[in-house]
Amino acid sequence: MQSFTCSKLPPHNGLGAIITLFLFSFFTSVTITCSAKPHLKSSNTEFIKTSCAETLYPELCYKTLKPYASLIHTSPMELANASLTISLKGAQSASNMVQNLSKQHNLSPKEASAIMDCVETMGDSVDDLQQSLVAMEGLDGPDFAIKMSDIQTWVSAALTNEDTCMDGFSREKGMNGKIEAIIRHYIVKVSKLTSIALAFINRLSSA
């Protein structure tokens, strides 16, 4: 089995490097030993920790972003990209969960209505976050300010949609507490992740 060091690895560019590195090592059965210099690794994680401290949810922020430290380095752009990607994955997972719940046959009319509203709003949230990530890929150029404004609008809309999903359950009385608890568990976490992403987007816009 052949082994490579970091100096022989192809340069990475953002979160796509995770997939490339995984597929390369899996299909070629190559052991890749990539030990970052301690002071660089410490600098990367410290950048994430310091950045997360300025968000509303610093512990969740640091926990979810720390695994991407070697890709983020100390780049505000990569930090925002990573945070948006994590938020999108969470929104997709929550959207799928709500869709599965909507297919249950023992729902009351109120429960079915609230869940279907949530299916719609979470679908919109996923769309908003996807548009934001696509726009992040082409920020260079004279249209930076306009594109950043669009991204801020989409991420803000995603956060609003996630909150709207939970509002539907708060308004309705006498609903199945277990169903509400499951949905709340997913949606609340996604809302926090989206809030974190929005904080980094806003910071990037003002830089």
Side-chain angles (χ1 to χ4, degrees):
M1 184 175 292
Q2 193 174 2
S3 176
F4 289 90
T5 62
C6 283
S7 60
K8 294 182 181 180
L9 288 175
H12 59 70
N13 182 17
L15 295 175
I18 296 176
I19 300 173
T20 303
L21 186 60
F22 173 79
L23 294 176
F24 180 74
S25 59
F26 182 83
F27 288 111
T28 61
S29 299
V30 174
T31 299
I32 301 176
T33 56
C34 193
S35 54
K37 294 181 180 180
H39 71 280
L40 291 178
K41 183 177 180 181
S42 175
S43 176
N44 295 343
T45 55
E46 187 61 30
F47 169 72
I48 293 174
K49 188 173 184 179
T50 301
S51 299
C52 286
E54 299 179 14
T55 69
L56 293 176
Y57 312 101
E59 292 184 6
L60 176 63
C61 176
Y62 184 65
K63 178 182 178 180
T64 54
L65 287 170
K66 184 180 178 182
Y68 301 95
S70 62
L71 298 175
I72 294 171
H73 295 294
T74 58
S75 167
M77 180 72 74
E78 291 302 335
L79 182 67
N81 265 318
S83 188
L84 266 177
T85 300
I86 292 170
S87 178
L88 174 59
K89 289 180 179 179
Q92 289 172 328
S93 178
S95 180
N96 291 335
M97 177 275 301
V98 175
Q99 287 182 3
N100 289 334
L101 284 178
S102 71
K103 298 174 184 178
Q104 293 190 14
H105 300 290
N106 58 341
L107 299 173
S108 70
K110 288 184 178 180
E111 290 166 350
S113 176
I115 291 175
M116 288 309 299
D117 287 345
C118 194
V119 168
E120 181 178 352
T121 56
M122 286 309 300
D124 291 340
S125 180
V126 169
D127 291 341
D128 290 330
L129 292 171
Q130 286 176 331
Q131 288 185 88
S132 300
L133 272 173
V134 171
M136 287 287 288
E137 296 176 0
L139 280 179
D140 295 334
D143 296 333
F144 175 85
I146 296 175
K147 291 178 180 178
M148 281 304 305
S149 178
D150 289 340
I151 293 171
Q152 287 174 300
T153 298
W154 288 323
V155 179
S156 295
L159 185 58
T160 299
N161 285 322
E162 292 155 8
D163 291 340
T164 300
C165 170
M166 288 314 308
D167 288 343
F169 290 92
S170 300
R171 289 193 303 267
E172 298 293 347
K173 304 298 182 181
M175 297 182 64
N176 187 319
K178 182 178 293 186
I179 291 177
E180 181 180 355
I182 292 173
I183 294 178
R184 183 175 295 277
H185 172 76
Y186 276 83
I187 304 302
V188 167
K189 183 175 182 179
V190 172
S191 294
K192 291 179 179 180
L193 292 173
T194 305
S195 171
I196 293 168
L198 181 59
F200 293 141
I201 291 296
N202 289 339
R203 186 186 308 171
L204 189 63
S205 176
S206 61

